[in-house]
Amino acid sequence: MPGVVEELVAAIGAEQVVTDPAVMEGYSHDEAEWAPYDAPAAVVRPRDTADVAEVVRICASGGVAVVGRGAGTGLSGAANAGRGWVVVSFERMNRVLEVDTVQQTVTVQPGVVNDDLRARVAQDGLWYPPDPASSPWSTIGGNVATNAGGLCCVKYGVTRDYVLGMEAVVGSGEVVRLGRTTAKGVTGYDLAGLMVGSEGTLGLVTEVTLRLVPLRRGVEHTVVGYFDSLTDAGRAVAAVSAAGIVPSALELIDRFCLQAVDEWKNMGLSAEGEVLLLARSDLPGTSGQEEADRILECFEKEKAVYAVRSTDEEEAEALFQARRLAYPALERLGPLLTEDVCVPKARVPHMLEAIEAAGERFDTRIGNIAHAGDGNLHPLFIVPAGDEEAKGRAKQAFEVIVDEALAVGGTVTGEHGVGLLKMRGAADELGPHVLAMHRAVKGALDPAGIFNPGKVFALREERD
């Protein structure tokens, strides 16, 4: 693609265009261990929307595929490059453009890191709730692309619930504004919402306006419960929901994952049982204490071997930090494939049991972490490096778990996206008519077919 690369250099400057293969390798894929990728023709690091528009115009004219990239923390292969593609990295578009304290909104560029955004708006007494486990590294653009969730989304919702509007580059390089900045607005289709979770298949988002809420004050009340089995822990999760309790977090981590974190970080955490549930209430005053006590009752009722409302804030925070570190801790043990199914909360016990059964059936080691409070489960498949037979068994277990999630009324992805790893499952979930609707939307917004082709809802012939 020398012609396209030369055009890019001429249009936006040589300092914005990377062609060194050694440097491009780090930009060519996300963290989905088993998702395929290839060498791009160039990596572009735009400074502003005008640069992005030029890149899209040149690529559309030359028929060159484009994939956007945030921090590369994705787990589905959605940010992976194909041979000869152009990767657009938003690392230099990382400014908080405006905080509106009256309207309680913030407008940012896509390269802003989630935790950096939270710290900035906290200065004005405001809070941005979506908090994926990768929040110290992941960017708002990537969060928008995958409709990221997080630990507190059981109560506060996911990225889509906070996106009011955006600027995006679509088609052959057109810059459009979608959505709104006002508290209310019902003009036309929700095209901004359509872009959230589209995984870069409809265009490149260059600016986002997000809804904020008042910063939480006071102490969160943490409840810790250990259980002897995944099924018992799942029943406790269902019991919390059945009691009408909406905690600010309800997380699951099994002993295997907790020990992996401990061995890596020497945090001195010990497990009293096979599975740990972590719950929090952020209600103010005595209401929070009362809600935490009700959660504790649910844990004890469902056979917790040890359950307590923590009075040590540092210890409680260490346990939640261990939950966030579980994925990178397991990565140290070998190639890791992560699942991301979401099921109705009442079916969490059954689904955890099904995951355990799949591991036994295919002789595959599966660790378990989960945003258990909203039914979003993340079984983690650990395979010895270079063991292709074990990798094959893990893939079989992966697909069986996808099918079981669909069978109980669930979805193939709660927050990681479809990317390259979930295309078969997504097609089964949506069905042919709805899949055709998705493809029709893509054809309308991406007539040149350059945005992340061959992924998510691609036709079979595009993937082969």
Side-chain angles (χ1 to χ4, degrees):
M1 303 290 174
V4 168
V5 173
E6 289 172 1
E7 284 189 67
L8 291 171
V9 170
I12 65 173
E15 65 277 14
Q16 266 62 255
V17 181
V18 177
T19 57
D20 182 337
V23 177
M24 290 196 297
E25 167 63 23
Y27 289 89
S28 61
H29 59 89
D30 62 18
E31 292 190 11
E33 178 70 35
W34 297 350
Y37 66 93
D38 213 327
V43 173
V44 177
R45 296 182 287 200
R47 299 157 297 188
D48 52 31
T49 300
D51 281 354
V52 178
E54 280 295 296
V55 172
V56 172
R57 180 189 62 77
I58 290 167
C59 289
S61 176
V64 176
V66 176
V67 59
R69 176 188 171 86
T73 60
L75 294 166
S76 71
N80 286 13
R83 178 166 291 278
W85 290 21
V86 170
V87 176
V88 179
S89 170
F90 287 101
E91 63 197 87
R92 293 179 176 176
M93 293 178 64
N94 60 1
R95 291 187 297 129
V96 175
L97 300 174
E98 180 186 17
V99 179
D100 186 331
T101 57
V102 175
Q103 198 71 13
Q104 294 191 341
T105 64
V106 61
T107 300
V108 303
Q109 292 181 312
V112 172
V113 171
N114 185 294
D115 274 5
D116 291 346
L117 169 64
R118 289 172 138 218
R120 170 61 187 86
V121 300
Q123 296 173 16
D124 293 298
L126 297 168
W127 181 45
Y128 176 64
D131 63 335
S134 59
S135 63
W137 315 284
S138 64
T139 62
I140 295 301
N143 292 173
V144 168
T146 59
N147 193 20
L151 275 65
C152 70
C153 64
V154 58
K155 182 172 184 176
Y156 291 99
V158 296
T159 301
R160 181 178 281 118
D161 299 310
Y162 295 87
V163 175
L164 292 175
M166 64 180 62
E167 177 187 79
V169 179
V170 298
S172 300
E174 302 91 346
V175 179
V176 298
R177 285 201 171 270
L178 307 172
R180 66 190 195 280
T181 58
T182 54
K184 296 172 66 177
V186 295
T187 306
Y189 298 132
D190 183 11
L191 297 180
L194 188 66
M195 295 291 286
V196 181
S198 63
E199 302 183 55
T201 61
L202 301 179
L204 298 177
V205 175
T206 52
E207 191 176 292
V208 189
T209 297
L210 300 164
R211 178 173 66 89
L212 303 173
V213 297
L215 186 66
R216 294 182 295 180
R217 305 291 183 183
V219 176
E220 288 186 282
H221 302 277
T222 300
V223 181
V224 178
Y226 286 98
F227 298 81
D228 272 342
S229 73
L230 285 169
T231 304
D232 286 347
R235 290 195 184 103
V237 171
V240 170
S241 180
I245 302 168
V246 183
S248 56
L250 181 49
E251 296 292 306
L252 177 150
I253 178 170
D254 69 10
R255 181 197 287 268
F256 181 68
C257 296
L258 196 61
Q259 287 176 334
V261 173
D262 208 14
E263 290 169 5
W264 179 30
K265 293 295 185 179
N266 298 313
M267 296 175 75
L269 304 172
S270 61
E272 302 289 338
E274 291 302 313
V275 185
L276 169 66
L277 284 183
L278 296 171
R280 271 182 168 166
S281 171
D282 64 354
L283 294 178
T286 59
S287 295
Q289 296 175 20
E290 291 168 1
E291 185 172 73
D293 286 339
R294 291 176 64 204
I295 294 171
L296 179 60
E297 289 174 9
C298 292
F299 284 9
E300 291 173 337
K301 176 184 173 184
E302 297 299 336
K303 302 180 181 178
V305 296
Y306 174 75
V308 65
R309 180 158 65 85
S310 176
T311 57
D312 187 329
E313 195 170 338
E314 286 189 12
E315 180 185 60
E317 188 54 44
L319 287 167
F320 272 94
Q321 181 68 2
R323 163 61 184 89
R324 290 183 179 277
L325 292 172
Y327 184 86
L330 288 178
E331 277 189 309
R332 299 170 65 248
L333 305 181
L336 185 65
L337 176 66
T338 180
E339 188 45 280
D340 171 40
V341 294
C342 191
V343 299
K345 288 180 279 190
R347 306 312 300 270
V348 168
H350 170 83
M351 198 65 221
L352 287 169
E353 192 174 86
I355 290 167
E356 205 164 25
E360 292 174 3
R361 176 182 169 188
F362 294 100
D363 189 22
T364 296
R365 187 67 174 93
I366 302 178
N368 284 276
I369 57 176
H371 306 307
D374 54 18
N376 193 183
L377 311 180
H378 296 320
L380 302 162
F381 302 80
I382 301 98
V383 173
D387 190 336
E388 290 300 316
E389 184 180 349
K391 182 176 177 180
R393 294 196 308 272
K395 285 185 174 181
Q396 287 180 291
F398 179 95
E399 296 296 344
V400 164
I401 290 170
V402 167
D403 290 341
E404 187 62 28
L406 294 179
V408 299
T411 178
V412 302
T413 177
E415 58 185 1
H416 293 169
V418 175
L420 288 164
L421 296 179
K422 296 290 191 71
M423 294 176 67
R424 194 277 305 172
D428 288 350
E429 178 180 339
L430 297 173
H433 297 298
V434 176
L435 200 58
M437 292 170 66
H438 281 80
R439 291 168 178 161
V441 170
K442 178 168 173 59
L445 298 185
D446 180 21
I450 63 166
F451 292 124
N452 223 3
K455 297 180 188 172
V456 189
F457 309 117
L459 296 168
R460 183 175 298 278
E461 53 268 28
E462 291 180 295
R463 307 199 304 263
D464 296 340

